[in-house]
């Protein structure tokens, strides 16, 4: 996988306010209709930049890297996340901020993964994309790119205003690992129901400073390993025993995110309890997350979650599924003893969950 430096005539103002690395990975934002069969396919980023001439007026030094070839974000994998983290590490001291153009479908997963791979991040890494391709009249791409660039450049007394991985979309800036795609038709595609917005863009961009992560006291550390032997199991009433069994006994499985009902509840069918208990005993790490858009997992509140706690299932508080699966990939790849992995999953590592006593 490689990134190409795109040669575009970007602004190089005499007195730049900031330097930004714009990384184009693909997605609707840069798509055009295929001439033959009319479905949308990604195209070359140098074409895209011609569509946002406003970028050239920006008082920032801009460098553009383009994934070659660009991808639909449904094809994003662990290797793309590691590569993006490496690109940020290599360029970290040269730029004040990073804007990643990415398909919306899996943007919340990618933003969550990057948040775990980049520890002690002191600069903005902002994901954005579009619902309507940049070549169309009513595209939302222009506004999303321009506002993301503005937020990535924003600093006060030499410090970035938003030193974390975030998603800017439509009018809101959200913490990356708190975001979920909720809309496939309208412009307000992302939501973070369990955590406040980091900023709101209207006439001005209003920052909600008290909920933005503080600047780190240590220097950036990147991680390059993620465990891919993980799965998500969404519970539903009437779930079938052979399906649960096949999943829990899948060869090589190391971790499971269990999407439960309400405050972390699951059926108490004897076969279900037995399969879960055996999985935990085989060393499979299970993280309990709620299917609810708001609220949190509270194992032990009901009998239907007490047994989960007793058998060693980890309560995920208000973590989203996107953050839970990527956190699990991250934590299970660490070379630390199992109890330390459990402790990390219970902890708030990058602002991804709220801890309540
Ligand atoms: N399928 C596209 C993608 O995620 C959708 C989008 O960008 O909005 O790459």
């Amino acid at each position: 996988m490689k990134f190409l430096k795109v040669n575009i005539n970007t602004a190089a103002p005499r007195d730049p306010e900031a330097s930004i690395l714009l990384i184009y990975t693909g997605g609707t934002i840069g798509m055009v209709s295929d001439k033959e069969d009319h479905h949308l396919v990604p195209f070359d980023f140098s074409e895209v930049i011609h569509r946002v001439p406003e970028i050239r007026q920006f008082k920032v030094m801009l460098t553009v890297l383009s994934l070659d070839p660009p991808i639909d974000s449904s094809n994003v994998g662990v290797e793309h996340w590691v590569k993006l983290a490496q690109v940020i590490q290599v360029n970290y001291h040269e730029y004040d901020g990073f804007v990643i153009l990415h398909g919306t479908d899996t943007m919340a997963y990618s933003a969550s993964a990057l948040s775990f791979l980049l520890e002690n991040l002191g600069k903005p890494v902002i994901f954005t994309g579009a619902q309507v391709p940049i070549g169309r009249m009513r595209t939302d791409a222009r506004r999303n790119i321009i506002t993301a660039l503005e937020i990535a450049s924003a600093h006060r007394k030499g410090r970035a205003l938003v030193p974390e991985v975030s998603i800017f979309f439509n009018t809101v800036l959200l913490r990356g690992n708190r975001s979920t795609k909720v809309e496939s038709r309208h412009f307000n595609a992302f939501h973070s129901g369990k955590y406040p917005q980091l900023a709101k863009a209207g006439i001005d961009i209003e920052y909600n400073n008290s909920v933005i992560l503080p600047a780190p006291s240590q220097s950036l550390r990147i991680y390059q390993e993620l465990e891919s032997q993980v799965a998500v199991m969404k519970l539903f009433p009437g779930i079938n025993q052979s399906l649960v069994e096949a999943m829990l006994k899948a060869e090589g499985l190391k971790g499971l995110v269990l999407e439960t009902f309400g405050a972390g509840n699951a059926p108490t069918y004897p076969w279900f309890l037995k399969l879960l208990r055996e999985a935990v005993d085989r060393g499979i790490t299970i993280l309990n997350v709620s299917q609810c858009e708001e609220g949190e997992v509270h194992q032990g509140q009901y009998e239907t979650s007490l047994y989960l706690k007793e058998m060693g299932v980890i309560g995920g508080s208000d973590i989203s599924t996107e953050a839970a699966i990527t956190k699990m990939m991250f934590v299970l790849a660490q070379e630390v003893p199992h109890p330390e992995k459990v402790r990390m999953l219970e902890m708030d590592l990058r602002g991804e969950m709220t801890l309540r006593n």
Side-chain angles (χ1 to χ4, degrees):
M1 181 194 326
K2 58 183 192 304
F3 282 93
L4 297 179
K5 211 169 204 173
V6 177
N7 285 324
I8 51 164
N9 187 16
T10 51
R14 230 177 271 148
D15 190 15
E17 283 166 6
S19 57
I20 303 294
L21 183 63
L22 185 69
I23 306 168
Y24 170 64
T25 65
T28 292
I29 194 164
M31 287 196 177
V32 284
S33 292
D34 182 87
K35 289 199 185 80
E36 278 144 35
D37 37 14
H38 303 293
H39 58 270
L40 289 172
V41 291
F43 80 142
D44 194 281
F45 190 78
S46 57
E47 296 284 321
V48 176
I49 206 77
H50 296 311
R51 316 266 183 173
V52 197
E54 297 92 329
I55 287 180
R56 297 202 178 95
Q57 295 164 26
F58 243 83
K59 286 196 83 180
V60 294
M61 288 287 296
L62 195 65
T63 305
V64 180
L65 292 182
S66 176
L67 184 62
D68 180 35
I71 56 167
D72 185 294
S73 78
S74 298
N75 287 322
V76 151
V78 162
E79 64 284 6
H80 294 98
W81 298 336
V82 171
K83 187 74 188 168
L84 283 170
Q86 289 168 344
V87 167
I88 289 169
Q89 182 189 37
V90 168
N91 292 284
Y92 193 66
H93 296 291
E94 227 181 299
Y95 295 94
D96 298 306
F98 302 85
V99 173
I100 302 178
L101 305 182
H102 191 288
T104 57
D105 290 348
T106 62
M107 190 185 290
Y109 290 89
S110 294
S112 296
L114 264 287
S115 78
F116 296 114
L117 293 177
L118 302 169
E119 188 177 24
N120 302 322
L121 184 65
K123 298 184 179 185
V125 174
I126 306 178
F127 281 78
T128 195
Q131 295 283 63
V132 178
I134 202 154
R136 300 220 177 128
M137 286 280 276
R138 293 183 58 256
T139 183
D140 50 337
R142 229 171 275 132
R143 189 176 62 179
N144 286 348
I145 295 177
I146 289 169
T147 312
L149 285 173
E150 187 165 340
I151 297 172
S153 320
H155 50 83
R156 191 182 302 123
K157 295 186 185 148
R159 286 186 170 226
L161 285 195
V162 191
E164 56 172 289
V165 180
S166 60
I167 290 181
F168 177 77
F169 217 89
N170 194 31
T171 57
V172 293
L173 184 74
L174 308 172
R175 176 164 300 156
N177 58 32
R178 292 289 196 153
S179 306
T180 298
K181 181 173 178 180
V182 290
E183 255 296 343
S184 61
R185 283 159 50 111
H186 296 111
F187 289 140
N188 52 338
F190 289 89
H191 182 59
S192 94
K194 298 180 187 175
Y195 197 76
Q197 299 167 355
L198 306 185
K200 178 122 181 106
I203 292 175
D204 295 312
I205 299 174
E206 290 164 17
Y207 292 91
N208 193 357
N209 293 314
S210 63
V211 301
I212 295 173
L213 289 176
S217 51
Q218 289 171 356
S219 44
L220 178 75
R221 172 172 181 196
I222 81 146
Y223 294 81
Q224 308 198 37
E225 305 291 334
L226 288 167
E227 173 58 68
S228 58
Q229 295 283 10
V230 292
V232 177
M233 187 196 291
K234 181 170 184 154
L235 295 182
F236 55 91
I239 193 165
N240 175 287
Q241 177 173 355
S242 56
L243 181 124
V244 174
E245 185 160 4
M247 208 151 172
L248 287 172
K249 293 194 175 161
E251 206 185 321
L253 184 72
K254 299 236 168 50
L256 181 81
V257 171
L258 188 65
E259 268 200 19
T260 56
F261 308 123
N265 305 313
T268 52
Y269 318 136
W271 62 262
F272 185 75
L273 303 188
K274 183 168 175 283
L275 285 173
L276 276 190
R277 189 164 286 120
E278 285 170 0
V280 173
D281 292 346
R282 285 199 304 277
I284 294 172
T285 306
I286 304 183
L287 181 61
N288 182 356
V289 308
S290 172
Q291 295 177 13
C292 289
E293 273 186 28
E294 292 186 32
E296 70 228 9
V297 166
H298 185 176
Q299 293 193 133
Q301 185 178 4
Y302 293 89
E303 189 214 355
T304 44
S305 67
L306 182 62
Y307 70 90
L308 294 175
K309 187 176 176 178
E310 285 170 355
M311 70 173 73
V313 171
I314 303 160
S317 184
D318 58 355
I319 197 168
S320 67
T321 298
E322 293 89 334
I325 192 71
T326 51
K327 182 176 183 177
M328 193 163 247
M329 288 176 169
F330 169 71
V331 169
L332 296 188
Q334 302 304 305
E335 292 200 355
V336 294
H338 185 71
E340 177 60 14
K341 293 180 185 173
V342 172
R343 205 182 66 84
M344 289 174 79
L345 286 167
E346 286 171 342
M347 276 168 59
D348 174 31
L349 298 179
R350 308 277 193 270
E352 74 281 5
M353 62 193 232
T354 312
L355 295 181
R356 298 196 212 282
N357 295 322

